[in-house]
Amino acid sequence: MFLHSVNLGNLAFYAFMIFMATLGLWDVFFGFEENKCSMSYMFEYPEYQKIELPKKLAKRYPAYELYLYGEGSYAEEHKILPLTGIPVLFLPGNAGSYKQVRSIGSIALRKAEDIDFKYHFDFFSVNFNEELVALYGGSLQKQTKFVHECIKTILKLYKGQEFAPKSVAIIGHSMGGLVARALLTLKNFKQDLINLLITQATPHVAPVMPLDRFITEFYMTVNNYWILNARHINLTTLSVAGGFRDYQVRSGLTFLPQLSHHTSALSVVSSAVPKTWVSTDHLSIVWCKQLQLTTIRAFFDLIDADTKQITQNSKKKLSVLNHHFIRHPAKHFEENPAIISDLTVTSMWVPVKVSKWTYVAYNESDKIYFTFPLANHRKIYTHVYCQSTMLDTNSWIFGCINSTSMCQQGVDLSWKAELLPTIKYLTLRLQDYPSLSHLVVYVPSVHGSKFVVDCEFFKKEMRSIQLPVTHLFSFGLSSRKVVLNTSGLFYNIELLNFGQIYQAFTVNVVSKCSGVKEEITSIYKLHIPWSYEDSLTIAQVPSSTEISLKLHVAQPENDSHVALLKMYTSSDCHYEVTVKTSFPQILGQVVRFHGGALPAYIVSSILLAYGGQLYSLFSIGHCLEYDIMLDKEAKPYKVDPFVITIKFLLGYKWFKELWDILLLPELDAMFLTSQSMCFPLVSLILFLFGTCTAYWGGLLSSTTVRFLSSLWLALKRPSELPKDIKVISPDLPILTVVLIIVSWATCGAFAILLTYLYYVFKIVHLHASLTTFKNSQPANPKHSRRSEKKSSHHKDSIVHHLRLSASDAEDSLRMHNTVINLLTWVVLLSMPSLIYWLKNLRWYYFKLNPDPCKPLAFILIPTMAILGNTYTVPIKSSKLLKTTSQFPLPLAVGVIAFGSAHLYRVPCFVVIPLLLHALCNFM
């Protein structure tokens, strides 16, 4: 049927759309840097000591456990409680293991050994039984309550100690970070029980896939609480995202809301974290050695020497996190660093009067201070830039106040410097330091090591170059270019008009060097001033380097900053920078930000085709092919204008009030707008992708039915078309009751799956019967036509007795194939709770509670039981058919309006036309 009616033009179009979608998927799943994380290893065998919980608690949460991590002698010593360290609690995420604590726990143990256990951390981990909480949100509240009990249990392990902790630090991976934030929403929870919260790849803004209402309600509860109580929340929170390598949780979802009165929250992408500078995938973020080392350094700097616990000083906590995760000055953290430093007057002091200076230090026997008088330079230049390839943590650059050639004390400017992978650098605007008379660069005495120090004075306008990005719809056919011919060490390329998430570009940097014998390194840093999502590219010059430009977070409306490509270059090289639009990466951004809404668009397209088939049955008495109706009815202009109009009207107060009076949910498009996720033409692109998927899905389901019917005929004797049509067979009520009992006693999604399999079986049986009937007909076409005329002559009597003809059977199969397509997506969207139920079967005693699919199952089971016995013969004469055929259009609009960001609502829109279709048998 379906295969016979394939239109080559449509086939070419749908194949092209598949190609486009593949480009977007390729960018999401493969269009990123290779994994540069170093693996973290344990030095001794890891051990997980189970902490005994109170009997009532263990009985209330039989699936959950609490463990203490240890290795070697530490593990042996701490088998005898109580404990004496600083407690840290690790919370795993979706399907996460409590054993994931071993990477950070082992690194913390090694660090404690280095300081002879002056301070040490005790790492605890919760076993959530690897629950799939990203698929099913019904257990999130239970996990939150269990963590609360774990915190109280942990603190009891330190009772009687001299420096007993009163709070714990929490590290939450993925959904574990959200559970940690949810602790504050519990009625009896005291905020003082948590002194620090670090989340890794946690989707804070919204669920990755809103597959049931429990997840959405949990998110609303947590985020609303944090927003409404922001003034009273004094919990220092750090959210670390994985960058583009993490395709499971896009980094934009991990950014905590930045409120003017809530300044204790930081959000950063791992590629921007100093001394890490790599993107991590969703799992490697917990074992990435570079990131875990940075985290442990921060933990040890957070210790209060008086209490031997993590400090309660919020200002210090934020300073430490800024130091290690935002801007590292290449110095060890100091809470109150000395501004004035003593300089050695007896050392060698060398004045430098040129505007550009380079010094190569190798086996220096004496300390040298190079002084740069600023008086003359202020008249010509606006800035000074200095860099050093010696990456030690000592102070290296100072400012002298009102001195002639040397000074005994200088202002330590090293705290203003910033660390990069191969250099540390400092840029000063001269007018900000009017009291400084000299700039002093310190070169220590070194033996056996070589490093280079460079300084140059420059005018800002000479090093800031504007480069407007190419237009979105240039499709990479045009480009824009700037050439850097001067011999500077530092350039700022201002990327004008670049601030939206749907923009994506490829930047090509070509470096050409003259007279270079040694290997030279250049660093290209993409700096996004409105969010900490910088990324670095290190290039060996001369070379041609390609850089991807795309955003995790769109530029806020009231933000006037410009994205920068900061280039730390070599004075021996010239650089050519070219930017052009990358169409595959734009498609990747569409998939990355809106791919989760695709099921809603697929179902919307199928609903439109379904409505067209019902109307063709009403108007001409025959059900047309699915692909014909999909091509005719599934048009974006039938859906998008309604959604756009509603969104526009919601901007008016009177319409918003009317909307609220009718208790209608928020329009999904409004939510996307609030998250700055509105692409130009994104709904059109998704609709085309959805229609394409609906087409290929219909082809697949039709082919599957044909294959199964062939298999059925090969295994069973040939079937016959039913002589009498009975909507309600004797066994139908029994089957319906059994499936409803299964839904109530076990899992609604399981009952839906069984109903789906029953329905597919009925359709396969009908197809096999039709095939047998056709094969049994005479091959003579004249005889066949006479048979058709005879059948037509007696049509009234046939309809009267509700007997099924071959043409009616084909009509019925066409309708059933479309229903299968709709029902397939209902099953797929309910599958997460089924997977969760099967995985946790022994803990839930066969019954999933709460069950998001149970109400849906109660309606769908009798509906599909009736539809399984439904043919087009009685439907044609139904008084309800015209109304039923008109319902899919508004429901297709509703799916997009309310289901694109709330996928769990989509099945509700599918059930309504199916129910009306079933009622057509009786009305």
Side-chain angles (χ1 to χ4, degrees):
M1 299 173 305
F2 191 96
L3 290 170
H4 297 162
S5 63
V6 170
N7 180 291
L8 291 179
N10 289 345
L11 191 63
F13 172 75
Y14 293 132
F16 175 72
M17 293 309 301
I18 282 289
F19 172 72
M20 300 284 280
T22 303
L23 286 179
L25 290 169
W26 180 271
D27 179 70
V28 171
F29 292 107
F30 303 102
F32 42 70
E33 65 182 58
E34 62 180 4
N35 194 348
K36 297 178 182 178
C37 279
S38 301
M39 178 65 77
S40 51
Y41 295 97
M42 285 77 252
F43 286 81
E44 297 178 271
Y45 189 79
E47 294 186 35
Y48 306 90
Q49 180 184 347
K50 186 176 178 180
I51 302 298
E52 187 175 348
L53 301 172
K55 290 183 179 179
K56 287 185 178 179
L57 187 62
K59 188 175 180 180
R60 196 186 317 160
Y61 305 99
Y64 300 160
E65 297 168 322
L66 177 65
Y67 288 88
L68 171 64
Y69 178 80
E71 295 177 16
S73 58
Y74 170 86
E76 290 297 322
E77 291 172 6
H78 289 81
K79 284 181 180 178
I80 304 172
L81 304 175
L83 303 173
T84 58
I86 304 168
V88 180
L89 179 60
F90 175 80
L91 303 180
N94 176 57
S97 170
Y98 66 95
K99 294 183 179 180
Q100 289 174 311
V101 72
R102 63 183 176 269
S103 294
I104 193 165
S106 181
I107 291 173
L109 188 58
R110 300 284 83 76
K111 178 75 172 177
E113 287 178 349
D114 291 343
I115 58 173
D116 295 325
F117 285 93
K118 179 182 179 181
Y119 310 113
H120 74 273
F121 289 88
D122 299 319
F123 275 84
F124 297 85
S125 185
V126 173
N127 178 16
F128 284 135
N129 194 34
E130 299 184 10
E131 288 183 335
L132 302 170
V133 288
L135 303 182
Y136 169 77
S139 61
L140 285 168
Q141 189 67 19
K142 184 171 62 173
Q143 287 190 0
T144 305
K145 292 178 179 178
F146 180 73
V147 171
H148 183 199
E149 298 297 333
C150 286
I151 292 173
K152 292 189 285 187
T153 301
I154 289 170
L155 294 178
K156 288 178 182 177
L157 300 177
Y158 295 86
K159 274 193 174 180
Q161 298 302 307
E162 182 181 359
F163 299 102
K166 297 179 181 179
S167 58
V168 302
I170 294 181
I171 298 176
H173 173 239
S174 189
M175 295 298 285
L178 186 70
V179 168
R181 287 180 63 217
L183 286 168
L184 275 64
T185 66
L186 298 178
K187 289 183 179 179
N188 300 322
F189 184 80
K190 297 178 181 178
Q191 190 185 137
D192 295 340
L193 291 176
I194 308 176
N195 52 48
L196 177 67
L197 172 59
I198 296 178
T199 66
Q200 299 173 335
T202 296
H204 292 293
V205 176
V208 176
M209 294 288 283
L211 296 169
D212 67 53
R213 64 182 178 87
F214 303 122
I215 295 179
T216 305
E217 289 172 358
F218 190 81
Y219 265 89
M220 287 181 63
T221 301
V222 174
N223 286 332
N224 287 344
Y225 181 89
W226 277 65
I227 292 171
L228 295 174
N229 298 277
R231 295 181 182 276
H232 311 292
I233 295 177
N234 196 31
L235 174 59
T236 303
T237 308
L238 171 70
S239 175
V240 183
F244 287 110
R245 279 195 61 84
D246 188 352
Y247 52 78
Q248 294 185 46
V249 177
R250 62 176 179 84
S251 297
L253 291 176
T254 68
F255 277 68
L256 292 159
Q258 287 290 336
L259 303 175
S260 58
H261 45 271
H262 183 58
T263 57
S264 298
L266 288 175
S267 302
V268 63
V269 179
S270 60
S271 59
V273 175
K275 295 192 175 183
T276 301
W277 294 307
V278 296
S279 177
T280 65
D281 60 54
H282 196 63
L283 292 179
S284 68
I285 198 169
V286 299
W287 56 256
C288 182
K289 186 176 180 181
Q290 295 97 312
L291 183 59
Q292 301 310 324
L293 282 170
T294 299
T295 305
I296 290 305
R297 292 187 198 105
F299 267 120
F300 276 89
D301 282 340
L302 285 166
I303 297 174
D304 187 321
D306 296 328
T307 63
K308 294 190 176 180
Q309 296 293 326
I310 288 179
T311 180
Q312 296 299 317
N313 187 331
S314 298
K315 188 177 179 181
K316 179 182 177 180
K317 284 189 279 191
L318 211 57
S319 297
V320 170
L321 295 180
N322 270 291
H323 178 93
H324 289 283
F325 288 90
I326 305 299
R327 193 190 65 82
H328 199 295
K331 290 179 66 67
H332 291 305
F333 175 79
E334 294 179 26
E335 186 175 1
N336 297 303
I339 303 299
I340 304 300
S341 297
D342 293 327
L343 306 180
T344 310
V345 181
T346 56
S347 298
M348 186 183 300
W349 288 72
V350 180
V352 179
K353 296 183 179 180
V354 295
S355 61
K356 186 174 182 179
W357 166 83
T358 299
Y359 183 78
V360 179
Y362 183 68
N363 281 334
E364 299 293 332
S365 57
D366 297 317
K367 301 175 184 178
I368 307 175
Y369 290 97
F370 292 93
T371 63
F372 299 80
L374 300 180
N376 292 330
H377 289 311
R378 290 184 199 276
K379 299 174 183 178
I380 306 172
Y381 306 106
T382 60
H383 290 70
V384 60
Y385 170 87
C386 291
Q387 67 180 34
S388 172
T389 60
M390 186 174 186
L391 304 182
D392 65 347
T393 57
N394 296 317
S395 296
W396 62 287
I397 190 163
F398 307 90
C400 289
I401 300 174
N402 299 325
S403 64
T404 53
S405 59
M406 62 179 67
C407 54
Q408 294 184 351
Q409 290 185 324
V411 178
D412 192 348
L413 299 174
S414 306
W415 292 102
K416 304 287 184 181
E418 186 170 345
L419 179 67
L420 290 176
T422 58
I423 61 171
K424 54 186 178 183
Y425 76 93
L426 172 70
T427 304
L428 295 179
R429 191 168 69 164
L430 295 177
Q431 71 178 49
D432 292 341
Y433 300 89
S435 61
L436 297 185
S437 59
H438 288 73
L439 187 70
V440 179
V441 175
Y442 170 61
V443 176
S445 58
V446 291
H447 300 282
S449 60
K450 180 180 178 181
F451 64 95
V452 180
V453 184
D454 298 275
C455 284
E456 65 172 347
F457 292 85
F458 63 89
K459 289 182 179 180
K460 181 183 178 181
E461 56 270 21
M462 297 299 294
R463 300 300 171 84
S464 295
I465 302 168
Q466 294 184 342
L467 177 61
V469 296
T470 50
H471 194 270
L472 178 69
F473 296 110
S474 63
F475 300 106
L477 300 176
S478 62
S479 62
R480 287 179 179 152
K481 180 171 64 176
V482 293
V483 179
L484 311 179
N485 286 320
T486 57
S487 57
L489 298 172
F490 170 78
Y491 294 92
N492 270 337
I493 308 295
E494 298 180 0
L495 302 169
L496 302 181
N497 308 317
F498 175 49
Q500 302 302 321
I501 54 176
Y502 55 79
Q503 294 177 298
F505 306 94
T506 298
V507 172
N508 191 44
V509 181
V510 178
S511 53
K512 298 177 182 179
C513 308
S514 57
V516 177
K517 296 181 180 179
E518 297 183 359
E519 190 177 76
I520 300 175
T521 300
S522 291
I523 300 175
Y524 314 130
K525 178 180 180 180
L526 176 62
H527 174 61
I528 309 300
W530 55 85
S531 64
Y532 298 118
E533 53 175 289
D534 297 2
S535 58
L536 297 178
T537 302
I538 301 174
Q540 303 297 329
V541 295
S543 64
S544 177
T545 305
E546 193 172 276
I547 305 169
S548 292
L549 297 186
K550 49 193 175 187
L551 297 172
H552 297 291
V553 179
Q555 185 175 14
E557 290 183 3
N558 57 349
D559 194 297
S560 59
H561 291 94
V562 178
L564 300 174
L565 179 62
K566 294 187 172 185
M567 301 181 63
Y568 303 90
T569 56
S570 169
S571 57
D572 297 319
C573 302
H574 299 293
Y575 296 81
E576 184 179 281
V577 182
T578 307
V579 61
K580 63 180 179 179
T581 300
S582 174
F583 187 65
Q585 291 189 69
I586 290 174
L587 293 174
Q589 290 291 79
V590 171
V591 173
R592 183 176 288 108
F593 283 85
H594 292 279
L598 189 59
Y601 284 86
I602 297 170
V603 171
S604 180
S605 295
I606 300 174
L607 280 172
L608 291 171
Y610 182 44
Q613 285 183 311
L614 288 170
Y615 188 75
S616 72
L617 197 61
F618 166 76
S619 59
I620 63 174
H622 289 287
C623 179
L624 296 179
E625 290 283 3
Y626 169 74
D627 67 318
I628 294 174
M629 298 314 300
L630 189 68
D631 181 52
K632 181 181 178 182
E633 299 293 335
K635 304 297 183 183
Y637 61 77
K638 292 188 175 184
V639 175
D640 282 343
F642 290 98
V643 178
I644 294 170
T645 302
I646 294 171
K647 180 184 174 184
F648 173 75
L649 290 174
L650 282 171
Y652 292 94
K653 186 178 180 181
W654 64 269
F655 189 82
K656 184 67 171 69
E657 290 175 352
L658 177 62
W659 189 272
D660 294 336
I661 290 171
L662 295 174
L663 301 178
L664 292 171
E666 182 186 20
L667 196 70
D668 284 355
M670 301 298 289
F671 170 77
L672 297 177
T673 302
S674 67
Q675 298 299 320
S676 300
M677 285 174 55
C678 284
F679 284 41
L681 306 177
V682 67
S683 187
L684 174 62
I685 295 171
L686 289 174
F687 199 95
L688 294 176
F689 283 171
T691 306
C692 169
T693 309
Y695 174 85
W696 291 110
L699 184 61
L700 178 62
S701 66
S702 177
T703 306
T704 304
V705 167
R706 292 166 64 88
F707 170 75
L708 291 176
S709 68
S710 301
L711 194 62
W712 174 267
L713 289 173
L715 298 176
K716 300 281 288 185
R717 61 182 181 147
S719 307
E720 294 181 356
L721 288 173
K723 295 180 180 179
D724 295 312
I725 298 174
K726 295 180 180 179
V727 176
I728 301 180
S729 59
D731 60 338
L732 194 61
I734 298 173
L735 178 66
T736 303
V737 171
V738 168
L739 288 173
I740 288 176
I741 291 173
V742 169
S743 173
W744 177 81
T746 58
C747 171
F750 181 52
I752 290 173
L753 178 62
L754 294 177
T755 305
Y756 174 75
L757 294 175
Y758 162 78
Y759 186 80
V760 171
F761 168 76
K762 295 290 289 186
I763 307 315
V764 168
H765 187 270
L766 175 61
H767 193 283
S769 301
L770 180 60
T771 304
T772 302
F773 177 80
K774 286 183 175 181
N775 291 338
S776 66
Q777 295 301 301
N780 187 347
K782 292 183 178 180
H783 181 85
S784 178
R785 282 195 292 269
R786 284 198 299 269
S787 299
E788 288 181 9
K789 288 179 180 178
K790 185 177 179 181
S791 174
S792 176
H793 180 71
H794 296 288
K795 182 177 179 182
D796 292 338
S797 61
I798 291 171
V799 173
H800 177 74
H801 294 288
L802 294 178
R803 296 177 64 85
L804 190 66
S805 67
S807 62
D808 289 326
E810 288 184 346
D811 278 352
S812 300
L813 273 174
R814 293 187 189 109
M815 187 64 73
H816 284 308
N817 276 324
T818 305
V819 173
I820 284 178
N821 291 336
L822 283 173
L823 198 58
T824 298
W825 282 100
V826 173
V827 171
L828 289 175
L829 292 173
S830 62
M831 196 58 66
S833 61
L834 174 62
I835 296 171
Y836 179 90
W837 173 71
L838 289 172
K839 189 175 183 300
N840 296 277
L841 199 55
R842 63 191 182 100
W843 300 113
Y844 284 97
Y845 306 103
F846 298 103
K847 187 172 184 178
L848 180 62
N849 186 32
D851 188 346
C853 296
K854 191 168 292 180
L856 177 68
F858 286 166
I859 301 172
L860 196 63
I861 289 169
T863 301
M864 298 315 301
I866 294 171
L867 285 179
N869 285 345
T870 296
Y871 302 93
T872 56
V873 178
I875 297 294
K876 293 176 187 178
S877 57
S878 173
K879 296 178 181 179
L880 193 60
L881 179 58
K882 183 177 181 181
T883 304
T884 301
S885 67
Q886 292 170 342
F887 258 80
L889 175 57
L891 291 172
V893 175
V895 166
I896 303 303
F898 302 109
S900 56
H902 298 82
L903 291 179
Y904 62 89
R905 295 173 180 165
V906 172
C908 302
F909 290 96
V910 174
V911 167
I912 295 172
L914 294 179
L915 180 60
L916 291 173
H917 187 171
L919 291 175
C920 284
N921 287 281
F922 309 103
M923 299 176 68

